[in-house]
Amino acid sequence: MEPILTVEHLSISFTRYGRWLSRVELRPIRDLSLTVEPGQVAAVVGASGSGKSLLAHAIFHLLPRNSRVEGNILYDGAPLTPQRAAALRGREMALIPQGVTCLDPMMKVGPQVRGERLRSSRALLARYGLGPEVEDLYPFELSGGMARRVLIATATA
């Protein structure tokens, strides 16, 4: 069976300018390889600042312009190009953000979970143990655990 995701020798670096316009090269991820088989649950664990989110952003092609990525990323056996990643995002691949600050503080939960689709957010929220009343709450009215479950429901949508 073909792996669903293969990351081979991934390195991510950033160039920034230091004092007197000197260039500094930062390499937070060096020579990382991993494979995820269909149906397998994989976890990336590490200390804060160790590059977990950078790995996810590299897979989704969401890194800033000052980044440089080396290595190969394959999805379902084919190279994951920026165009292919954009087409798959939200359809076959979803990113569940780490921080609840990704929720719009000025918008109630219901429309955020529904997004552009008219699919009911109630069913998605219920799937993660949240009642229908959560649709009418703003993110600041949620506990940390509730907000994370809303983020998961949003990624599922």
Side-chain angles (χ1 to χ4, degrees):
M1 188 183 280
E2 184 93 27
I4 194 73
L5 177 68
T6 304
V7 177
E8 302 171 323
H9 305 289
L10 181 72
S11 293
I12 302 173
S13 60
F14 296 92
T15 302
R16 70 173 193 185
Y17 291 93
R19 292 185 176 204
W20 311 108
L21 298 178
S22 64
R23 290 173 50 151
V24 177
E25 187 84 8
L26 303 172
R27 294 186 67 99
I29 295 180
R30 298 174 193 193
D31 198 29
L32 181 137
S33 295
L34 65 90
T35 303
V36 180
E37 302 290 337
Q40 179 184 15
V41 175
V44 178
V45 210
S48 179
S50 64
K52 300 177 300 289
S53 294
L54 277 176
L55 171 61
H57 287 112
I59 292 168
F60 281 84
H61 286 274
L62 296 174
L63 290 171
R65 290 182 185 219
N66 70 328
S67 64
R68 192 173 74 240
V69 178
E70 299 170 12
N72 297 311
I73 302 172
L74 305 172
Y75 179 77
D76 206 13
L80 191 56
T81 63
Q83 296 81 10
R84 187 163 180 239
L88 293 171
R89 274 194 304 261
R91 290 172 181 74
E92 291 187 33
M93 298 179 358
L95 175 65
I96 301 171
Q98 215 173 317
V100 296
T101 57
C102 293
L103 293 171
D104 183 343
M106 303 301 289
M107 181 186 284
K108 290 186 177 184
V109 167
Q112 292 190 64
V113 172
R114 278 193 299 272
E116 295 175 9
R117 299 178 184 178
L118 297 176
R119 186 174 167 189
S120 171
S121 59
R122 284 188 183 188
L124 287 167
L125 292 171
R127 182 175 177 182
Y128 298 101
L130 299 169
E133 69 281 357
V134 173
E135 279 187 312
D136 293 322
L137 298 177
Y138 287 95
F140 71 88
E141 297 176 298
L142 304 172
S143 70
M146 290 171 73
R148 282 179 180 75
R149 287 183 278 159
V150 167
L151 287 170
I152 294 168
T154 306
T156 303

